[in-house]
Amino acid sequence: MTQNIAPTRVPVHDLIARRWSARRFDPHKPVSEAQLYALLEAAHWAPSCYGDQPWRFVVFDRQYDEEAWQRAQECLLEANRRWACQAPLLILAAASRVFSVNGEPNPWAEYDTGAAMENLSLQATAMGLVARQMGGFDAARVREYFAVPEDYRPLVIIAVGHPLAGEQVADPRQRNPRGQHFFRARWGRALEQFREGQEGELC
């Protein structure tokens, strides 16, 4: 299996280091029903504000309903369709705009749905699958095709499948300097080991 392991400075869990957003899938290997339900079960147990679980997932499985899968493909931008057509499974993730208990606006719904999607992505990694999230899709077409209610916002479509055997990883994984993102005590003050010129290996 092709791997693209994150070059972390300190040890992190293997699932986190191995999770990456591949663009190449084996079009001849479907995701099994057992694997699909494990992905959704992982998402189900993500944390959420008040336990409201604002996420909704719509599954498009090529082997189960190719017509629906094809319509989901049509919602993607062309740049994404070029590679996502190999993925046997697409999953639409949407977030409620309001709390289910009182109908008040839920400002944390998208944050919580992101947590559910990360659970799903890590579960995919644990099972030897790859998952890539896409923001490049036509939300209006998604609403029209799949009857998404107005009080839910379509966030991403996730492509899931088996990695293509022998795929060559063109570039190593990269991130911005850590000091741009992680601060000590106040905004903009990088943690000591993350300051410019201090980005060497940690013991």
Side-chain angles (χ1 to χ4, degrees):
M1 172 181 169
T2 301
Q3 296 193 33
N4 194 3
I5 298 174
T8 62
R9 294 182 66 199
V10 296
V12 299
H13 196 283
D14 179 61
L15 286 178
I16 297 170
R18 287 194 293 113
R19 187 220 60 80
W20 68 298
S21 299
R23 282 194 177 93
R24 303 285 302 279
F25 300 88
D26 188 333
H28 305 297
K29 292 184 68 174
V31 175
S32 71
E33 284 285 285
Q35 289 171 323
L36 169 62
Y37 286 119
L39 294 172
L40 301 180
E41 187 70 8
H44 182 69
W45 288 100
S48 61
C49 183
Y50 297 124
D52 201 66
Q53 298 175 249
W55 51 79
R56 300 293 185 273
F57 291 85
V58 184
V59 176
F60 307 103
D61 187 337
R62 187 172 193 173
Q63 69 172 345
Y64 180 81
D65 188 335
E66 185 164 6
E67 181 179 356
W69 176 89
Q70 186 58 54
R71 287 171 74 82
Q73 289 281 344
E74 292 170 10
C75 295
L76 301 176
L77 299 186
E78 175 61 31
N80 286 330
R81 280 202 302 270
R82 283 197 289 267
W83 59 266
C85 63
Q86 303 170 343
L89 187 66
L90 298 177
I91 303 174
L92 167 69
S96 174
R97 301 181 191 275
V98 298
F99 285 111
S100 62
V101 293
N102 56 18
E104 293 295 320
N106 182 354
W108 301 283
E110 295 177 16
Y111 177 89
D112 292 343
T113 302
M117 290 187 289
E118 180 70 356
N119 271 21
L120 186 153
S121 296
L122 292 174
Q123 181 65 32
T125 300
M127 296 189 298
L129 302 172
V130 289
R132 186 180 182 93
Q133 301 177 35
M134 297 172 279
F137 66 94
D138 187 331
R141 184 175 287 185
V142 162
R143 288 191 186 281
E144 175 189 352
Y145 283 2
F146 307 116
V148 178
E150 284 298 323
D151 54 347
Y152 284 84
R153 181 185 173 192
L155 295 179
V156 298
I157 294 178
I158 311 163
V160 184
H162 295 265
L164 190 65
E167 178 186 359
Q168 297 299 309
V169 178
D171 300 302
R173 295 171 63 180
Q174 298 181 357
R175 288 293 187 270
N176 295 332
R178 295 165 181 83
Q180 292 182 12
H181 301 276
F182 305 105
F183 308 139
R184 174 86 76 187
R186 66 172 175 81
W187 191 274
R189 179 192 288 162
L191 274 79
E192 292 78 5
Q193 290 291 339
F194 292 168
R195 291 175 185 164
E196 188 174 355
Q198 303 294 320
E199 284 268 350
E201 291 298 319
L202 294 176
C203 297

